[in-house]
Structures are given as structure tokens and as C-alpha cells.
Amino acid sequence: MAESAHISDEDSGIRLDRWFKRYYPTLTHGHLEKLLRTGQIRIDGKRAKASERLERGQTLRLPPQLQNAREQYKPQPRTEKTQDGSMLVNLVLYQDEQVIVLNKPSGLATQGGSGLTQHIDGMLDALTFGKKQRPRLVHRLDRDTSGVLVIARTVPAAAALAESLRHRDASKIYWALTKGVPEKKRGTIKLALAKEGGHGKHGRDERMVASEDGDDAKHAVTDYAVIEHAGEEFAWVAAKPVTGRTHQIRVHLAELGHPIIGDFKYGGTEARPRGAVADKLHLHARSIDIAHPAGGRLTVTAPLPPHMMKTWKLLGFDPNADDDPFAHGRKK
């Protein structure tokens, strides 16, 4: 006898084939296509396609043979029972039914890549917190950049957050320690960026370069403000990216003549600190203000990572400062 499944809020927006991958993981794509082609799976009584997106409140007709497919599936142990999963849970700064915000540590990659075995995306099963679907990334941070990282808990939330980022309905403020003090204490850096390959030990590494010419160059704008400085050697700089290019803040500050401490990729030997300041990248995603998928605004602030906290105290900076240097808007 055929069964029925009702689409919940959590599954709204997901493709039909991905819904089956989630709830009937032993069902092959070929078998699913056959069931759809012969009309044995229907949405609200109508024939459906694997690529069709589901909506809350819809009813799926499921043929009886799928019951065996579900019974044969034995879930793997959940990631939250592993050491990595526990570590990720401890990074949570904020969570509600649609959004989770992490304080990503320096040195932990957001996504996988060549030679990477540990990254945020690979541990997101630890953050289901009772929901059926796996959380998903909506933006990323460089591996050595710490701070605020927003995770969507549902498909609709991911779409809404991505839309806010795409239309720049989000304000992200980063804190950086730079080599030397910018002459202008407040300004806007407008410098297009392009990818340049052929770097690294095996020539596979990419870096961004300032480029006003060429088809690959993309418009990039960063607002910055010097909050405080320690003599002429170091400056505490707040940076607010207006666009979201790869390594944008790092390249822009280096091009300004004041690379971020610990950023040897773009600052070279100039980025090497002296004294007790840690030999690590001093760039932290301090806060984000973004439209919440359920309405209103989501505003979260992340405390500094240990190496930057030590530096701030060493230089006499206030690590708990909450003034927004960009509160009056960007100068045109």
C-alpha cells in the first residue's frame, strides 16, 4: 500500500532527488527516475521530476517498495559524538531555528581543499541540533582569518542569507593589526583584483593581485579606519569590505603600504612582527549585521582569538571596544 510524506518547513526549497537522498539514501538515482517515469512517485497527485523543488505543505506519494529501502539503511554514527564535532559545537556564538553563528578559529579552513582533512564544512553534521537536514555554509573566511561565520540551518534560510550577501544587505567589520600607521586615518580603497596562479611550492597556489586592466579583474572596495596605534610601528585598523573578493582586505591594506601582521603572502618580510607579537595572521571578522531570514536584523560580535587578544593587551588596546567607526556611513 502506498504511503504519504508531508513536506515540512525544514525541507521547503529542496530538490525532489535531494529529498530522497536525505531520507532514502539507499535508493539509487536510476531507480528513482524509474519510479518517477512510471508515475509511482507523485507530488500532490501529479507526476513529478527529480529536479522539481518542494514546497511546504505538499504531499508526496511513496510506493510501498520504498519502505524496504528505508529499513535497510543504517545511519552512521553522528559527527557530534566525535572530538571534531564537540569542538565545533563549542564555537557557537548564536543559534536559533534558522541560523547558527560560529567564531571560527585561526588555522581552521572553512571548506575542504588539497591536503585538507579538517574543515568547518566537513563537520557541520555536528550542528544539526535535532533538525533533519544538514546545516550549510553561506559565506567563507580564509583559513588563517578568525571570527564570525554564519551558517544556515534550512534551505530557505540559506537562500535568504545568500540573497542578502549578494545585494550587500550585510555589514561585516574586520579588525586587523597593520605594519605601520596609514597616513590617512580614515578612507576608502578602490582597487580591482585579479587571480594570479603559479605560486606556492608546486605552483598550484593562487593569490590575488591589484589589477586595473584585464578581463579577469573585479571591482573591489574596502572602507577602513584607524582605531588606535602603538607608536609608528603598529596600527589597529577596522576594515569594512563593500565588495566581497577573495583576500580583499589583505591585498588592499598591503597595497596601501601597511600589510597585516603575519600576512606573509601579501606583506612579505614587512609583515613579520617584532618582540612578543605572535607570528600569525592578525585579521579577525569582528562582527556582522545582516538581514535575518525571519525578519529584522541579526547582529553578532566575536571575541578576539588568543593570539590577537595577547597582542591587544600587549599594545594597550581595548579588546572589548564596541564603537562602530563606520556608523555614519561610507564617504562617497
Side-chain angles (χ1 to χ4, degrees):
M1 182 177 179
E3 296 183 343
S4 296
H6 300 284
I7 304 305
S8 65
D9 285 332
E10 291 185 10
D11 294 325
S12 182
I14 194 173
R15 283 171 49 123
L16 180 62
D17 54 358
R18 294 188 182 279
W19 186 91
F20 276 99
K21 185 71 173 176
R22 179 177 296 168
Y23 295 106
Y24 295 88
T26 61
L27 180 67
T28 65
H29 184 73
H31 191 186
L32 173 62
E33 287 288 357
K34 181 178 180 180
L35 293 172
L36 290 168
R37 191 168 55 250
T38 55
Q40 296 183 69
I41 294 175
R42 293 174 177 261
I43 300 177
D44 289 340
K46 299 177 182 179
R47 287 178 176 267
K49 294 182 179 180
S51 60
E52 191 167 338
R53 292 196 178 274
L54 300 172
E55 297 179 7
R56 181 177 63 85
Q58 288 181 325
T59 300
L60 284 180
R61 178 194 183 277
L62 306 173
Q65 58 264 45
L66 287 186
Q67 183 63 30
N68 291 332
R70 193 161 194 175
E71 288 176 351
Q72 291 170 6
Y73 174 59
K74 294 182 179 179
Q76 295 298 313
R78 299 195 64 81
T79 310
E80 57 257 46
K81 296 189 182 300
T82 69
Q83 185 176 0
D84 286 347
S86 297
M87 181 270 289
L88 200 63
V89 170
N90 291 332
L91 301 179
V92 174
L93 290 171
Y94 171 88
Q95 75 175 84
D96 58 32
E97 284 299 306
Q98 300 186 55
V99 178
I100 294 171
V101 182
L102 303 180
N103 185 11
K104 188 188 86 65
S106 174
L108 179 61
T110 306
Q111 292 176 293
S114 178
L116 287 176
T117 58
Q118 185 187 57
H119 48 83
I120 296 286
D121 193 37
M123 298 186 284
L124 286 179
D125 285 320
L127 302 181
T128 54
F129 297 126
K131 282 190 178 291
K132 297 178 182 178
Q133 58 184 281
R134 189 177 191 269
R136 61 203 66 211
L137 298 168
V138 293
H139 69 116
R140 62 184 296 274
L141 294 174
D142 295 342
R143 182 176 182 176
D144 292 323
T145 301
S146 58
V148 172
L149 185 69
V150 180
I151 311 290
R153 298 190 68 189
T154 67
V155 174
L161 291 166
E163 190 73 4
S164 295
L165 291 167
R166 186 161 43 247
H167 292 287
R168 300 180 187 172
D169 186 16
S171 173
K172 292 186 282 186
I173 295 177
Y174 291 72
W175 282 3
L177 184 73
T178 63
K179 178 70 172 180
V181 185
E183 183 177 353
K184 290 180 62 177
K185 298 303 184 286
R186 181 183 297 270
T188 298
I189 305 168
K190 298 179 180 179
L191 194 60
L193 302 176
K195 286 184 179 181
E196 182 181 73
H199 295 273
K201 185 177 180 180
H202 301 290
R204 300 173 188 165
D205 195 14
E206 281 186 336
R207 56 177 281 155
M208 305 301 291
V209 293
S211 174
E212 295 297 346
D213 302 312
D215 296 334
D216 295 333
K218 293 184 178 180
H219 177 64
V221 180
T222 303
D223 292 335
Y224 76 90
V226 176
I227 298 178
E228 205 169 330
H229 60 91
E232 296 300 316
E233 188 168 5
F234 300 114
W236 168 9
V237 175
K240 181 179 178 181
V242 179
T243 54
R245 310 304 178 201
T246 302
H247 297 175
Q248 177 177 312
I249 296 172
R250 296 167 61 181
V251 179
H252 276 178
L253 289 176
E255 288 292 328
L256 193 65
H258 300 283
I260 298 172
I261 293 299
D263 188 5
F264 305 111
K265 187 167 193 170
Y266 295 107
T269 56
E270 286 295 309
R272 188 172 299 282
R274 290 194 297 177
V277 175
D279 203 9
K280 297 176 65 175
L281 182 68
H282 282 62
L283 180 61
H284 178 69
R286 173 64 172 176
S287 66
I288 190 167
D289 181 314
I290 190 171
H292 194 288
R297 306 294 298 182
L298 172 67
T299 303
V300 182
T301 298
L304 289 171
H307 73 283
M308 288 183 67
M309 180 68 77
K310 180 181 177 182
T311 298
W312 255 236
K313 291 181 177 180
L314 180 69
L315 299 179
F317 298 158
D318 180 6
N320 299 312
D322 58 2
D323 292 340
D324 180 0
F326 309 104
H328 300 297
R330 186 167 65 92
K331 295 181 180 180
K332 302 295 183 182

